[in-house]
Amino acid sequence: MKHGSITEGLWLSLSLLVLPCRSVSAQEEAQAPQKSLEQQRLDTIHYGTETEIAALIGNLKKENADYLDNELIDLVKNTHNRSILTGVFTFFGERDKGGLEARARQAVEERDNEANETIAAAIDYLGKVKDPEAADLFKELINSDERRFISNAIRALGRIGGGNQGSSDEIAEYLVDYYTNQISGDEYRRDLIVAVGETGAKRGVSFLTDITDNSDERAVIRMAALESLAKIGDPDGLDAILASISSTDPNIRSTAVAALGPFTGPDVDNAILEAFRDSYYRTRISAAQAAKVRKLASAVPYLAYRAEQDEVAAVKDEAIRALGAIGAGEAQTTLEKLIDERKNSDQVKILAAEMLISLDSGRYAEKVIALLDDAKKRNQTALYNGLLRVISGAQTQKVESLAARFFESGGVLEKSYAIDMVVKNRFTGLIEQVRSLANGTSGLSGKAKTSLERLGTD
C-alpha cells in the first residue's frame, strides 16, 4: 500500500507539472494570429510545389484576380519548372497580360534547355500579348523547319502583325510567301491562312480571295480563307464572300454568312436575311451571329421566329443572343415575350432573362425574381437553377431583399448566390450574414472568407 501511495503521489506531482504547460500551449495557439488568404497565397508562390501553384492559379482564374501578378512574374524569372512556367504563361496569356515577354523569349531562344510544353506556352503567350520583339525570333524558328513549333509560331506571328500596324503588311507578305513558295502539301496551310487574317493587313486580301474562289480547293481551306477575310474586314473581300453564299457545300455557305458580320450595305443585309431560310442549321446560326455583330434591326422578326420555332436548340440560343445584342425597341420587347410564354423551353426563358438582365438589371430584376419564385412553386428545378444564376449577376439594389431572403431561409445554392449578389452590388447591410457563413463550418466558409476580403472587410 505504501509503495502504491508513493507511486500515486508521484503521478499526481507529474500531472500538476504537465497540465499547466498544456493549458498555456493551447492558449497561445488560440491567440496566434491567423494568416490572411493573401499571405497564404504568397507562401504558396514562395515555397509551394508545382501542384500547389497550379491550384492557386486555378483559383485566381476563377476570381479573375490579378493582385499576385508581380509575384508570379518574379517566380517565373527564377524557375525552369515546366509545369510552373507553362501554367503562368497560360494564365497571363489568357488575359493578354504583359510582364513575361523577356522570360518567354528566353524560353524560345534557349529551347534546347526547356520542355516542349513550356516552349509552346511561351510562343502562344508572346503571340497573345503581340510582342513585336518576338517577330524575328518566330521567323527564324519557322525558317529552321523545326516542326515541333512551326504551327504555334505561325499563329503567334499573325497575332503580332495584328497588334503592330507598322509591321502588319510585312508580316502578311512573309506568311503569303511562305505559303506560296516554302511549303508542300497541306501541312501548315490552314495555320498560315488564319495567321494572314490575324494580321488584319489589306495586302492579304487578294491572296485570300484567290483561295475562296478556287472551287477545286478543299472546303476546310476555303472556309479558313473566308474567316480571315472577315477578320480583315476590307471591302475588297466582300464579293468573294457573297459569291460563296451560293456554294453547294453547306459548310462553306454557313461560313460565308458568318463572315458578313463586319460588312455593310443592302446586299449584305439581304444575304443575312435570306440565310435564315437555309435548311442547313449552321447557316441559320451564322445568320444570327452576323445579325448580332451588325446589330441588324431588320433581322429582329427573323430572330424572333427562330427563337420560338426553330427545331434546333443551338439556333434558338444564337437568335436570343442576337436579340440581346440588338437590344432596344422590338428586340427587347421580343425578349420579354419569350420569358412570358409558358410553352417556351426552360433554356429559352433562361437565356432571354439573361439578355434582359444584361440590358437593364434595374428594369427587369423584379420580373426575373417573380419568374424564379414561380418556378420554385411549380418544382421546375432546371428553370429555377438557371434563373438563380442569371439573377445573381444582376447589378441593382432590387436584388438586396432576395439576397437577404436567401441568407435567412435558402439552401446552400441560394446562399452561395446570395454571397455573389453581396459582392457584386456591395450590399454592406448584409456583411454580417456573409461573416456568419465565414465563421461557420458549412462548405461556403471558404467562399465567404474570400468574399469578405474582396469587400475589404473580415
Side-chain angles (χ1 to χ4, degrees), residues 95-107:
R95 296 175 294 140
D96 299 333
K97 177 81 175 186
L100 302 176
E101 291 89 341
R103 182 64 182 90
R105 289 196 301 270
Q106 179 188 347

Side-chain angles (χ1 to χ4, degrees), residues 80-245:
H80 284 276
N81 183 290
R82 69 174 69 186
S83 296
I84 293 174
L85 287 170
T86 301
V88 178
F89 284 146
T90 302
F91 179 46
F92 275 53
E94 288 172 350
R95 296 175 294 140
D96 299 333
K97 177 81 175 186
L100 302 176
E101 291 89 341
R103 182 64 182 90
R105 289 196 301 270
Q106 179 188 347
V108 179
E109 289 167 351
E110 301 175 3
R111 50 190 177 273
D112 289 341
N113 300 322
E114 301 281 6
N116 285 352
E117 63 191 88
T118 298
I119 300 163
I123 293 170
D124 292 343
Y125 168 75
L126 291 167
K128 287 178 178 176
V129 298
K130 301 174 175 60
D131 178 27
E133 294 186 44
D136 288 339
L137 178 61
F138 289 157
K139 289 177 189 177
E140 178 269 322
L141 192 155
I142 293 167
N143 292 336
S144 71
D145 200 30
E146 196 162 352
R147 294 180 179 272
R148 295 177 297 166
F149 309 117
I150 288 181
S151 290
N152 299 80
I154 287 170
R155 291 194 298 268
L157 187 59
R159 293 190 187 107
I160 291 171
N164 298 276
Q165 289 187 347
S167 61
S168 60
D169 283 341
E170 184 270 327
I171 288 176
E173 287 179 356
Y174 169 84
L175 294 167
V176 170
D177 177 74
Y178 192 82
Y179 182 100
T180 306
N181 300 312
Q182 302 297 320
I183 63 171
S184 59
D186 289 333
E187 196 171 19
Y188 313 127
R189 290 177 70 205
R190 190 179 185 284
D191 290 326
L192 287 159
I193 291 168
V194 171
V196 169
E198 291 283 358
T199 67
K202 183 178 175 64
R203 293 193 186 185
V205 172
S206 61
F207 161 72
L208 296 169
T209 56
D210 286 345
I211 294 173
T212 62
D213 292 341
N214 184 357
S215 59
D216 294 328
E217 186 57 86
R218 289 192 307 134
V220 67
I221 297 298
R222 294 171 70 187
M223 290 160 63
L226 287 165
E227 291 167 350
S228 285
L229 285 171
K231 287 179 180 177
I232 295 173
D234 188 273
D236 287 348
L238 179 57
D239 287 343
I241 296 172
L242 290 171
S244 297
I245 290 175

Side-chain angles (χ1 to χ4, degrees), residues 239-273:
D239 287 343
I241 296 172
L242 290 171
S244 297
I245 290 175
S246 60
S247 171
T248 57
D249 187 311
N251 292 301
I252 291 177
R253 285 202 310 272
S254 64
T255 304
V257 172
L260 291 172
F263 299 93
T264 59
D267 289 342
V268 176
D269 292 353
N270 290 335
I272 293 171
L273 298 181

Side-chain angles (χ1 to χ4, degrees), residues 43 62 107 145 154 174 241 248 256 262 282 347 368 395 417 439:
D43 288 348
K62 290 178 186 175
D145 200 30
I154 287 170
Y174 169 84
I241 296 172
T248 57
R282 289 191 184 277
Q347 175 61 13
V368 174
Q395 193 158 5
Y417 281 126
N439 295 331

Side-chain angles (χ1 to χ4, degrees), residues 343-409:
K343 71 179 179 62
N344 285 335
S345 69
D346 291 347
Q347 175 61 13
V348 165
K349 292 177 184 177
I350 292 166
L351 193 52
E354 183 178 336
M355 295 301 104
L356 290 171
I357 289 296
S358 67
L359 286 169
D360 192 340
S361 291
R363 179 177 175 182
Y364 292 109
E366 291 173 342
K367 187 180 187 70
V368 174
I369 291 171
L371 188 63
L372 176 80
D373 291 339
D374 185 66
K376 185 170 185 177
K377 186 188 305 180
R378 295 172 182 273
N379 292 319
Q380 296 171 309
T381 304
L383 178 60
Y384 181 73
N385 289 341
L387 292 173
L388 268 179
R389 175 185 57 79
V390 170
I391 201 64
S392 71
Q395 193 158 5
T396 172
Q397 199 71 26
K398 292 183 178 180
V399 298
E400 185 170 13
S401 60
L402 179 67
R405 190 211 309 172
F406 284 164
F407 281 128
E408 182 178 351
S409 59

Side-chain angles (χ1 to χ4, degrees), residues 323-343:
L323 288 167
I326 295 169
E330 189 182 354
Q332 203 158 323
T333 302
T334 300
L335 290 169
E336 292 179 31
K337 291 178 181 177
L338 289 173
I339 65 171
D340 288 337
E341 179 54 62
R342 286 201 178 275
K343 71 179 179 62

